[in-house]
Amino acid sequence: MALFHQLLVLLLLLIIIPFSHSQDPVGNYCDKPITTTTTISANIERTLTELASKVPSQNFATAIIGKGANTVYGLAQCRQDVSADACKSCVNSATKNLQKLCPNESSGRIWYDYCFVRYDTQNFIGELDTGYNIILYNTGNVTDPKTFDKRLGALMDDVEAQAVGAGNRGLGKGEAKVSPFVTVYGLVQCTQDLEPLLCAQCAATAVGTVFPEYCLHRKGCRVLYSSCYVRYEIYPFFFPVETPGTSAVGGSLEVVVVRP
């Protein structure tokens, strides 16, 4: 009976996670109203269309459309553990919603759990950006903070090292046992346009600066920059999905937006 229950939970996770989290944006940022020509608006639409068509093959794409002051730069990326179909669905939703949420804006970004899409009239490709960010943390605290923080610190060091490793495409993920009943799962995903050093700097900023201020002793936390995504939870949230343990998560989700 216990085995049947675990299989049922796993099946529900496989069904729910790709559709709920990939379709609902975590947040967006719009900036710089268009005041010059309609050409920029057309180039933004073309950029987003090109990103949506290119990204499923590698879970990552960049696009440059236009000339001179009308040039638009774009980037789209999915987490590297997400399937091509889930990536395509997420980016399609992201590009459509970004146009609705940022009309007549020459700079726009949108974050989902599974993907990130950005465009701008300034060239940001290959540049580290830890300015505007979104922080989501569980309001519940762990029961053994000293042990938890020690295991979490070692885990995040490991996944950061993975993310900058050759061939990993900016992705690092892993898990660490905190107690017989609690496992912490961690993930770092940098955008693939970044050099390894910049990827390391982005992850280190999240773990070294944001975690101590907002995530200390929390059961889960996410930091979403334009250049990287850093997260940990006490339940499995990345693929391949594992059957969750028996420990209760508890707490509610708090969202903090930090503007440059």
Side-chain angles (χ1 to χ4, degrees):
M1 190 68 180
L3 178 60
F4 173 77
H5 176 71
Q6 290 180 339
L7 290 174
L8 180 61
V9 171
L10 177 59
L11 178 61
L12 289 172
L13 282 170
L14 290 171
I15 293 173
I16 294 171
I17 290 176
F19 289 96
S20 63
H21 290 287
S22 65
Q23 298 300 324
D24 299 329
V26 177
N28 69 281
Y29 177 63
C30 312
D31 194 22
K32 298 183 294 188
I34 298 172
T35 58
T36 53
T37 68
T38 57
T39 304
I40 293 178
S41 297
N43 286 345
I44 289 171
E45 184 174 353
R46 289 176 58 200
T47 299
L48 295 175
T49 299
E50 182 169 325
L51 290 174
S53 67
K54 289 170 62 177
V55 75
S57 62
Q58 296 290 329
N59 280 18
F60 172 77
T62 58
I64 302 175
I65 301 293
K67 296 180 180 180
N70 293 323
T71 304
V72 176
Y73 304 85
L75 179 149
Q77 175 161 313
C78 297
R79 270 180 23 202
Q80 296 304 316
D81 62 320
V82 175
S83 70
D85 287 342
C87 177
K88 180 179 180 180
S89 175
C90 187
V91 172
N92 282 341
S93 295
T95 53
K96 291 175 183 177
N97 283 331
L98 192 54
Q99 292 180 81
K100 295 176 182 177
L101 293 167
C102 301
N104 303 314
E105 302 282 346
S106 60
S107 176
R109 314 170 204 187
I110 191 165
W111 288 263
Y112 287 69
D113 270 341
Y114 288 174
C115 68
F116 168 70
V117 176
R118 178 183 184 181
Y119 72 84
D120 205 305
T121 52
Q122 299 295 317
N123 189 1
F124 60 87
I125 299 171
E127 300 291 332
L128 175 63
D129 188 343
T130 54
Y132 182 94
N133 60 95
I134 300 172
I135 304 159
L136 302 93
Y137 63 86
N138 190 312
T139 59
N141 288 332
V142 296
T143 55
D144 184 359
K146 185 176 180 180
T147 301
F148 183 86
D149 292 345
K150 182 179 179 180
R151 298 285 192 275
L152 175 62
L155 173 62
M156 297 313 298
D157 286 344
D158 181 56
V159 296
E160 285 179 53
Q162 285 184 44
V164 300
N168 291 335
R169 297 190 294 178
L171 175 67
K173 60 181 181 177
E175 60 185 80
K177 206 76 173 176
V178 179
S179 74
F181 304 104
V182 177
T183 299
V184 60
Y185 301 82
L187 180 144
V188 168
Q189 174 71 75
C190 296
T191 54
Q192 291 187 60
D193 60 316
L194 291 186
E195 294 291 335
L197 178 60
L198 296 180
C199 173
Q201 289 178 0
C202 189
T205 301
V207 175
T209 303
V210 178
F211 275 22
E213 183 174 356
Y214 294 98
C215 312
L216 193 63
H217 310 327
R218 303 295 187 183
K219 292 181 177 180
C221 194
R222 277 176 271 179
V223 180
L224 294 88
Y225 289 126
S226 296
S227 292
C228 68
Y229 171 102
V230 181
R231 181 179 183 182
Y232 76 85
E233 304 286 354
I234 58 171
Y235 60 85
F237 62 90
F238 50 72
F239 294 100
V241 177
E242 299 176 6
T243 304
T246 57
S247 60
V249 176
S252 58
L253 199 63
E254 187 77 19
V255 180
V256 178
V257 174
V258 180
R259 298 180 182 272

